[in-house]
Amino acid sequence: MKNQKRIIAIVCGGDSSEHDVSIRSGKALYSFFDKQRYDVYLVEVKGTNWKVWLEDGTTAPVDLNDFSFRNNDKKVIFDYAYITIHGTPGENGILQGYFDLLHLPYSTSGVLVEAMTFDKFVLNQYLRGYGVRVAESVLIRRGQENNIDKDEIVKTVGMPCFVKPVNDGSSFGVSKVKNADQLAPALRNAMMQSDEVMIESYLDGTEITVGCYKTKEKTVTFPVTEIATNNEFFDYDAKYNGQVDEITPARIPDDLAKRAQALTSAIYDILHCNGIIRIDYIVTKGDDGKDKINMLEVNTTPGMTEASLVPQQVRAAGLNITDVLTDIVENQF
């Protein structure tokens, strides 16, 4: 009798500095999925070495010709890929292109959206055209870092500012720069992670983040989380080593929370996203004393460990993460 369960691959790992973080998200997702409904396997990606973790603790190589593997001499072909790779190749459109070639549905947005959201500078310029508030920024490509005009940069973005890789996550390579003399070492640090680096204005305010997903039947926008840390910014230690308070719902007025949720839903539609996204913002005060919501980043494969922000928001919304994942998978069948 044919197996009636869909076979789900949770695709994790990847080739960036976030490989291990992604594995943690993959393991958490494995624990969240409805095993009565799906057969679920963890697929670890590293370069061209892709392997499936089997229940007995062994692994089996993935046949990249059709994204299948053999289990006890039985060929297993996946029905769906839940991508939880943070960084390349799962967050920049590369993996999505491979799955498109195989006509295999997956949990994230498509190639163009993934490539664009992975490039922070491109995304900022694109969404600015839709009226989304973003910080002023300057793009520096590898080879240009020794010929920058410090005075012009300071004039454009001000001080202090942030120097960050254009396409890396988890705050690797990010520096807060307080004077022009710190630009050169900060650029070198960021260039270790990315060939393109963004120098971005510092926005003084309250950092918040909002998760969202949509299906054919509904829009689900999660409660707003406030990010409060005593670190210089929401860096790696703040994110993963507990040096932060993540407060859900955020300690902000209800109307501001609703505005942030509405903006998140609108950006989801502008980009034509798929699956769960999480958008980070800084709320600043305008000259008129009103709250201004500035977009920082769109995360299309947000962290999904038990302690990660989206699972926190799912719980705060009174939802079940297992049901949410089922919604996302079934939306494409």
Side-chain angles (χ1 to χ4, degrees), residues 210-214 219-223 260-262 264-265 313 317:
V210 189
C212 177
Y213 77 95
K214 301 192 180 194
T219 293
V220 179
T221 309
F222 301 129
Q261 290 172 314
T264 301
S265 178
Q313 292 178 1

Side-chain angles (χ1 to χ4, degrees), residues 1 55 64 68 81 110 131 158 183 247 253 270 272 314 316 318:
M1 181 178 174
E55 288 185 358
L64 296 179
S68 68
L183 280 172
I247 303 155
I270 289 167
H272 193 54
V314 170

Side-chain angles (χ1 to χ4, degrees), residues 1-31:
M1 181 178 174
K2 187 179 183 301
N3 186 353
Q4 297 301 308
K5 290 184 178 180
R6 297 196 204 283
I7 303 173
I8 308 293
I10 299 174
V11 188
C12 57
D15 302 323
S16 78
S17 48
E18 298 179 89
H19 180 96
D20 292 347
V21 175
S22 171
I23 295 291
R24 283 153 57 184
S25 283
K27 289 179 177 177
L29 280 163
Y30 182 87
S31 72

Side-chain angles (χ1 to χ4, degrees), residues 104-142:
L104 186 80
Y106 49 84
S107 61
T108 69
S109 308
V111 173
L112 176 61
V113 176
E114 292 298 317
M116 189 161 58
T117 54
F118 194 62
D119 188 313
K120 298 181 182 72
F121 185 80
V122 168
L123 180 69
N124 278 11
Q125 308 319 307
Y126 181 74
L127 289 178
R128 191 196 298 270
Y130 282 89
V132 177
R133 291 177 61 94
V134 295
E136 292 296 331
S137 58
V138 175
L139 180 68
I140 308 294
R141 294 190 169 96
R142 188 176 299 281

Side-chain angles (χ1 to χ4, degrees), residues 18 91 117 120 123-124 127 132-135 164 168-171 174 200 203 205-212 223-227 233-235 239-240 246 260-261 263-265 267-268 271 276-284 292-303 308-310 313:
E18 298 179 89
E91 204 170 10
T117 54
K120 298 181 182 72
L123 180 69
N124 278 11
L127 289 178
V132 177
R133 291 177 61 94
V134 295
K164 59 176 70 172
D168 201 28
S170 286
S171 300
V174 178
E200 187 176 56
L203 298 174
T206 302
E207 184 163 353
I208 60 172
T209 186
V210 189
C212 177
V224 180
T225 298
E226 177 185 348
I227 308 297
F233 59 97
F234 192 36
D235 59 9
K239 287 182 179 179
Y240 299 113
E246 296 165 352
Q261 290 172 314
L263 179 57
T264 301
S265 178
I267 291 173
Y268 193 108
L271 295 175
I276 296 177
I277 68 166
R278 199 196 77 232
I279 305 184
D280 303 336
Y281 304 98
I282 289 276
V283 179
T284 57
K292 309 293 183 183
I293 303 175
N294 307 268
M295 191 213 70
L296 293 178
E297 185 174 358
V298 176
N299 302 279
T300 58
T301 61
S308 294
L309 289 161
V310 165
Q313 292 178 1

